[in-house]
Amino acid sequence: MAEGDDWNTQIINEFRTNEGRVGGGFEGAPMVLVHHVGRKSGKRSVTPMMYLPDDADPDTVYVFASKAGAPTNPAWYYNLTTAGRGHAEIGTEEFDVTVTEITGADRDRIYAEQARRYPGFAEYAEKTAGIRVIPVLAFHRIR
């Protein structure tokens, strides 16, 4: 197992053991486990990530393809935008979601709020400045 996979597996196990809560650098942060299928490989994956709830719509959360400020987008971003849907775990709930990319002023506003709440996201944006704009995806719960 690759180092990143091992790290993700530890976070996933902690999330599921503690009803959606994890410690360490993520303690107190809203976490989601995102299930997606590789657009080329067809491989099923689960990726833990932080999210920002939509203040006006309890069925919408936002995730950020920051990849910790790397110069490229994470693979899960392409998997989800290609499929247009995924599956999410928040707390003890699991549900299907549609996926849409947020752009322009809405993207900037949502990303700025995430960076205000969690300054690491501001650092990620600094690292990617002039290289790429970190994508913001909206997950809309399917009821």
Side-chain angles (χ1 to χ4, degrees):
M1 185 179 308
E3 184 177 321
D5 289 340
D6 186 48
W7 183 82
N8 279 350
T9 298
Q10 290 174 17
I11 298 292
I12 292 165
N13 290 339
E14 185 177 0
F15 179 101
R16 290 178 174 155
T17 299
N18 297 299
E19 300 180 332
R21 292 180 302 277
V22 298
F26 296 114
E27 188 159 354
M31 297 291 296
V32 58
L33 299 184
V34 179
H35 299 244
H36 51 99
V37 178
R39 70 195 182 288
K40 295 178 184 176
S41 69
K43 178 184 170 193
R44 295 186 175 279
S45 298
V46 178
T47 304
M49 58 187 83
M50 291 175 62
Y51 71 88
L52 178 69
D54 185 297
D55 291 334
D57 180 1
D59 287 335
T60 299
V61 299
Y62 303 101
V63 297
F64 308 87
S66 66
K67 200 176 176 183
T72 59
N73 292 327
W76 61 258
Y77 162 79
Y78 297 106
N79 295 341
L80 290 166
T81 55
T82 298
R85 55 190 309 122
H87 187 79
E89 295 179 51
I90 296 179
T92 59
E93 292 188 89
E94 289 192 44
F95 46 91
D96 291 327
V97 296
T98 59
V99 177
T100 56
E101 187 162 356
I102 307 299
T103 59
D106 286 338
R107 178 258 170 229
D108 295 345
R109 175 185 53 78
I110 292 165
Y111 195 90
E113 179 59 22
Q114 182 72 350
R116 184 190 69 75
R117 294 181 189 193
Y118 302 97
F121 284 85
E123 293 172 20
Y124 303 153
E126 287 174 17
K127 288 181 182 179
T128 61
I131 301 168
R132 70 179 178 103
V133 174
I134 295 172
V136 174
L137 299 181
F139 289 176
H140 308 282
R141 183 181 188 143
I142 299 172
R143 294 220 179 243

